[in-house]
Amino acid sequence: MNLEQEKKIRVINSSELEKISYLDVFKLAEAIWLFNQSSNSPHALLTSGQHSDGYVNCSQVLKFPNLKNFLAQKLIEKLQSFQPIEKGSIDYVVSSSMAAITLGDKVASILSAAFAYTEKVNEIQKLKRFEIPDGARVLQVEELITTLKTTRQVTQAIQENNPTLEFLRDKEGRIIVLSLVHRPKKLPQLYSDYRIISLIELEIHTWSVEQCPLCQKGSQALKPKKNWEKFINNS
């Protein structure tokens, strides 16, 4: 995407964004790619070495303040429709680093809450820079959830920081987590201990090289970030 294209995106207002789907907002920012079933199209080679039929880069959409603000507001509206909360009733919003930080900060601002974030220490999320007061009510916010691994680490980091904290929970006692994108391998995906409230839900699959059906169709596996134009042009 060139600078002129970015300039056009930066001036889109909320009323215009209301007219398109959340998935189209991501496509507008070239932040999402889904395999189009053509053997002439590439598929994603992930850093893990696995192959995938989809790739989401939330940082691409969150770098635009107008898109980030719109999506943050819509996340809160979806939360309110599921479980109404009063403004100021959330004391802290906590996100993992790095991509979720700007989203979490914006959600905190709208809710009149303080904001904190965890950081990776030896590949484990830890709450290093912040002290959350006793009895604070906490809402977790992520940009993307796949397996809940990071989400669980953030919860544990918050609890280690202060065991008296209260998480926002649903009526069944599950911890509520807001996320722009929820992309498990199979939908619907329900969890016994978490309630994920997201704007976009997608089934995105991963395979080993040996088991990849897209390779068997003749599709080439490429690293998305290095070949993003090829992916976008074939989506």
Side-chain angles (χ1 to χ4, degrees):
M1 183 182 298
N2 60 41
L3 185 58
E4 288 304 312
Q5 290 173 304
E6 289 197 355
K7 285 181 177 180
K8 290 179 182 179
I9 293 174
R10 282 165 17 207
V11 297
I12 298 174
N13 59 41
S14 294
S15 62
E16 293 174 288
L17 293 172
E18 290 276 6
K19 299 174 183 177
I20 62 176
S21 69
Y22 301 129
L23 191 61
D24 284 336
V25 173
F26 270 69
K27 289 179 178 179
L28 182 69
E30 296 186 359
I32 193 166
W33 162 83
L34 301 171
F35 186 66
N36 67 5
Q37 305 303 320
S38 170
S39 60
N40 295 323
S41 301
H43 62 281
L45 171 59
L46 306 178
T47 54
S48 64
Q50 290 193 309
H51 294 193
S52 179
D53 59 358
Y55 189 82
V56 183
N57 185 359
C58 291
S59 297
Q60 276 297 108
V61 72
L62 292 173
K63 74 180 183 181
F64 296 103
N66 55 329
L67 303 189
K68 176 191 68 181
N69 297 348
F70 172 77
L71 294 170
Q73 181 62 50
K74 290 302 175 182
L75 256 183
I76 292 171
E77 289 177 11
K78 191 163 185 179
L79 169 63
Q80 292 285 23
S81 67
F82 172 75
Q83 183 164 310
I85 57 171
E86 295 181 6
K87 191 171 184 178
S89 65
I90 301 297
D91 300 302
Y92 270 80
V93 170
V94 181
S95 299
S96 65
S97 59
M98 295 289 295
I101 288 178
T102 58
L103 176 66
D105 180 70
K106 185 61 187 179
V107 169
S109 176
I110 296 171
L111 293 176
S112 298
F115 175 69
Y117 59 87
T118 59
E119 301 168 70
K120 273 191 177 181
V121 179
N122 297 323
E123 297 304 310
I124 302 295
Q125 296 287 335
K126 295 291 183 181
L127 195 63
K128 290 177 57 180
R129 301 172 189 265
F130 305 94
E131 292 186 7
I132 302 178
D134 291 348
R137 196 180 193 200
V138 176
L139 171 63
Q140 287 185 233
V141 175
E142 295 298 334
E143 89 289 4
L144 183 145
I145 291 176
T146 303
T147 64
L148 282 188
K149 178 181 177 181
T150 297
T151 303
R152 295 187 192 282
Q153 287 185 4
V154 172
T155 302
Q156 186 175 355
I158 295 168
Q159 291 172 325
E160 288 175 350
N161 175 268
N162 192 330
T164 71
L165 300 175
E166 175 190 351
F167 290 94
L168 181 64
R169 297 177 183 268
D170 67 9
K171 294 178 180 179
E172 286 74 36
R174 295 174 294 183
I175 295 174
I176 294 175
V177 182
L178 304 187
S179 181
L180 287 184
V181 180
H182 181 211
R183 43 145 294 187
K185 293 180 180 179
K186 188 70 176 176
L187 289 171
Q189 176 65 273
L190 303 176
Y191 308 98
S192 61
D193 49 353
Y194 286 91
R195 175 61 165 86
I196 309 303
I197 296 177
S198 62
L199 297 184
I200 297 173
E201 285 203 327
L202 294 168
E203 283 188 18
I204 294 181
H205 310 91
T206 57
W207 305 275
S208 66
V209 178
E210 296 78 15
Q211 296 179 329
C212 178
L214 306 185
C215 284
Q216 294 169 14
K217 288 182 178 181
S219 170
Q220 183 181 10
L222 297 174
K223 292 184 177 181
K225 288 185 179 179
K226 290 184 178 179
N227 299 277
W228 197 236
E229 289 299 320
K230 291 181 180 179
F231 280 87
I232 293 299
N233 291 337
N234 286 280
S235 62

